[in-house]
Amino acid sequence: MILSDKTIKERLKTGEIVITPFKEEFLQPASYDLHLGRSILVFNTEKHNMIDIKKPVEDLMLRKELKEDEEYIINPGDFLLANIEEVTGVNGRHVGRLEGKSSLGRLGLIIHATAGFLDPGNSLKMTLEIANLSPLPIKLYAGMKIAQMAFEQIDQFVEKEYGHKSLNSKYFGDTDVKASQMFKNF
């Protein structure tokens, strides 16, 4: 069951859901608007021409820090990682689902490829997997509305929350954008 605006506010008060900072003006009828953070990672194509998912590559991605309201131009076909500004979290009875804003999707901007799920027990700045599918460059701005989070209650509390030592939770509690840790699965 997706939670309504009223229920999201109730669960924020009880601590079952976390949104920091929270501003009521960004609360939608069944979601909360999220904003683009300032740290982004882009592929280092000058140093690398292939990705081997079994090997860690420390310099595979380059970090760029944007100033408040600073623009970043994402060209057609480009891909980058970025965080949202807000920390979002859920207890062991809830999940969050990250969704794109339809106005950006209509411009060809995709904000997540696969990682739009906030696991029970995790609280972090979600990572966006941003791609430009349009034939034109798109300007992104630090602090702009870029996504929304819907929250759902699951049927019962989970046995093991994300971050449990047996789960190999690679992104537990992240507050800064991080490149893929896929190599840890091998």
Side-chain angles (χ1 to χ4, degrees), residues 4 11 24 29 31 42 44 53 55 67 89-90 95 100 110 112 126-127 138 150:
S4 71
R11 306 281 164 97
E24 182 123 12
S31 66
V42 297
N44 185 352
I53 62 171
K55 296 180 182 175
K67 296 181 179 92
V90 289
V95 297
I110 305 302
H112 76 82
M126 295 281 292
T127 297
I138 299 173

Side-chain angles (χ1 to χ4, degrees), residues 94-99 112 114-120 122 124 126-127 149 152 154 162:
H94 295 85
V95 297
R97 294 198 181 269
L98 184 72
E99 301 291 344
H112 76 82
T114 61
F117 192 74
L118 178 58
D119 288 287
N122 203 0
L124 76 166
M126 295 281 292
T127 297
M149 180 72 74
E152 297 182 66
I154 52 182
Y162 191 83

Side-chain angles (χ1 to χ4, degrees), residues 1 12 16-17 19 26 36 38 44 49 51-52 69-71 77 79 85 89 97-98 100 119-120 122 142 151 155:
M1 164 179 67
L12 284 166
E16 296 170 86
I17 291 174
I19 303 170
F26 300 125
L36 181 62
R38 296 181 186 177
N44 185 352
N49 61 7
I51 298 170
D52 182 343
D69 296 321
E70 183 179 359
E71 68 184 45
F79 177 86
E85 281 185 357
R97 294 198 181 269
L98 184 72
D119 288 287
N122 203 0
F151 298 95
D155 66 339

Side-chain angles (χ1 to χ4, degrees), residues 3-183:
L3 305 184
S4 71
D5 52 357
K6 183 178 176 184
T7 305
I8 291 170
K9 287 195 290 188
E10 291 169 1
R11 306 281 164 97
L12 284 166
K13 286 179 185 171
T14 63
E16 296 170 86
I17 291 174
V18 173
I19 303 170
T20 307
F22 175 81
K23 294 183 180 173
E24 182 123 12
E25 67 191 271
F26 300 125
L27 185 60
Q28 298 296 322
S31 66
Y32 187 82
D33 285 338
L34 301 170
H35 301 81
L36 181 62
R38 296 181 186 177
S39 296
I40 62 174
L41 296 177
V42 297
F43 282 106
N44 185 352
T45 56
E46 291 180 14
K47 260 189 140 172
H48 300 280
N49 61 7
M50 184 189 324
I51 298 170
D52 182 343
I53 62 171
K54 287 187 174 185
K55 296 180 182 175
V57 182
E58 297 304 319
D59 61 352
L60 178 63
M61 300 192 91
L62 301 172
R63 179 177 298 275
K64 296 187 183 288
E65 295 291 329
L66 304 177
K67 296 181 179 92
E68 188 174 346
D69 296 321
E70 183 179 359
E71 68 184 45
Y72 179 83
I73 297 171
I74 181 168
N75 288 304
D78 279 358
F79 177 86
L80 61 89
L81 298 177
N83 281 123
I84 60 167
E85 281 185 357
E86 295 86 357
V87 170
T88 55
V90 289
N91 72 352
R93 184 82 194 265
H94 295 85
V95 297
R97 294 198 181 269
L98 184 72
E99 301 291 344
K101 299 294 288 175
S102 69
S103 294
L104 293 173
R106 293 166 195 236
L107 297 173
L109 190 74
I110 305 302
I111 60 100
H112 76 82
T114 61
F117 192 74
L118 178 58
D119 288 287
N122 203 0
S123 182
L124 76 166
K125 290 185 175 186
M126 295 281 292
T127 297
L128 303 172
E129 305 148 335
I130 302 173
N132 180 355
L133 301 180
S134 83
L136 300 170
I138 299 173
K139 285 185 182 180
L140 304 177
Y141 297 89
M144 68 181 271
K145 286 184 190 178
I146 194 156
Q148 56 192 339
M149 180 72 74
F151 298 95
E152 297 182 66
Q153 181 174 314
I154 52 182
D155 66 339
Q156 59 183 306
F157 277 93
V158 297
E159 262 184 56
K160 298 176 191 172
E161 291 185 359
Y162 191 83
H164 187 275
K165 62 184 177 183
S166 69
L167 294 179
N168 188 26
S169 304
K170 296 180 283 294
Y171 309 106
F172 179 70
D174 283 351
T175 57
D176 196 19
V177 64
K178 182 189 288 184
S180 174
Q181 303 293 298
M182 181 68 180
F183 67 91

